[in-house]
Amino acid sequence: KQEVTQIPAALSVPEGENLVLNCSFTDSAIYNLQWFRQDPGKGLTSLLLIQSSQREQTSGRLNASLDKSSGRSTLYIAASQPGDSATYLCAVPISSGSARQLTFGSGTQLTVLP
Amino acid sequence: DGGITQSPKYLFRKEGQNVTLSCEQNLNHDAMYWYRQDPGQGLRLIYYSQIVNDFQKGDIAEGYSVSREKKESFPLTVTSAQKNPTAFYLCASDPGQVSGQPQHFGDGTRLSIL
């Protein structure tokens, strides 16, 4: 059974710092990997999706990498801002026909201090 | 704007009572999902549906039921058999067959026991 682990569980950094969030998964036969952001009391917002054939994806100050062979992904946030404060979750699907069940990590709660 | 609407935002359940959480999407997505999130935890899949009139159990389906009579709607009923229903419930959808498409989430329903 696929298991997803995110380390650290919480992270606090000063504004302007570059940072890396980690995600590891046990079964490397993944279809893709997704990174989401969750603000308190809200749903999830998709940040980046990396296909299994890709090694990285970029969106603005965010860069996600994927190493299937080692079962790892990282989310790099450049020049962090207080507005980046949120919980970041990674998820991998187990393809099942046309639906894609997602297995989630427990998330990293990020606080960016002004 | 296209998106997923969950209602109500807050819901309270009495002992022995069944309650139904609403999820409606106007994204024309084939696949829909229900997740449960407990404090400090990742999301766990309750049920998912690939097409109308079809749905499958996820990891934690006991005490829950769903229906998919219309493409746009995927309501979740929390039955009295679910002994620990207090949680944050999230509905999601995606196109299903199309690769590279992230799941879209609603803003959630927070369920508590009276």
Side-chain angles (χ1 to χ4, degrees):
Chain A
K1 182 181 176 183
Q2 180 76 272
E3 292 183 4
V4 180
T5 303
Q6 291 187 247
I7 295 173
L11 181 63
S12 184
V13 301
E15 183 177 3
E17 194 162 293
N18 302 326
L19 59 101
V20 175
L21 307 181
N22 297 294
C23 172
S24 61
F25 45 94
T26 54
D27 185 349
S28 62
I30 59 170
Y31 187 62
N32 56 41
L33 183 143
Q34 298 184 53
W35 281 95
F36 293 91
R37 167 185 173 137
Q38 185 176 31
D39 292 293
K42 296 290 189 180
L44 278 64
T45 300
S46 178
L47 297 173
L48 290 164
L49 183 150
I50 311 176
Q51 298 281 32
S52 59
S53 58
Q54 298 174 319
R55 291 194 63 85
E56 65 178 52
Q57 277 283 354
T58 298
S59 176
R61 294 182 293 108
L62 305 179
N63 176 277
S65 68
L66 175 63
D67 184 344
K68 278 183 58 178
S69 61
S70 66
R72 293 179 182 176
S73 176
T74 62
L75 179 67
Y76 175 82
I77 303 177
S80 59
Q81 302 171 358
D84 295 329
S85 298
T87 297
Y88 292 81
L89 298 111
C90 68
V92 294
I94 302 171
S95 181
S96 177
S98 64
R100 297 173 295 154
Q101 306 170 61
L102 291 181
T103 300
F104 284 82
S106 296
T108 294
Q109 186 174 359
L110 173 65
T111 301
V112 180
L113 303 170
Chain B
D1 286 338
I4 299 178
T5 301
Q6 290 189 241
S7 62
K9 190 173 178 64
Y10 299 96
L11 188 58
F12 299 91
R13 195 192 89 169
K14 297 179 181 179
E15 287 288 336
Q17 185 182 42
N18 294 348
V19 293
T20 298
L21 285 61
S22 172
C23 177
E24 302 279 332
Q25 55 102 355
N26 60 4
L27 299 165
N28 199 33
H29 285 169
D30 286 319
M32 297 187 74
Y33 312 81
W34 273 106
Y35 294 93
R36 168 180 172 141
Q37 186 177 33
D38 292 284
Q41 304 289 318
L43 281 67
R44 292 183 291 166
L45 184 66
I46 304 172
Y47 268 98
Y48 65 99
S49 168
Q50 302 180 47
I51 56 173
V52 173
N53 293 323
D54 182 66
F55 47 83
Q56 287 81 41
K57 294 180 179 180
D59 296 330
I60 55 167
E62 186 174 350
Y64 300 97
S65 66
V66 293
S67 63
R68 186 87 186 274
E69 298 177 0
K70 299 186 299 181
K71 187 175 184 178
E72 312 80 55
S73 178
F74 191 40
L76 173 74
T77 296
V78 183
T79 74
S80 57
Q82 173 50 246
K83 298 306 179 188
N84 183 24
T86 298
F88 190 47
Y89 291 86
L90 288 160
C91 178
S93 71
D94 69 37
Q97 291 280 11
V98 178
S99 66
Q101 297 296 315
Q103 285 189 7
H104 294 253
F105 282 79
D107 277 341
T109 293
R110 190 168 298 280
L111 176 62
S112 302
I113 295 278
L114 277 180

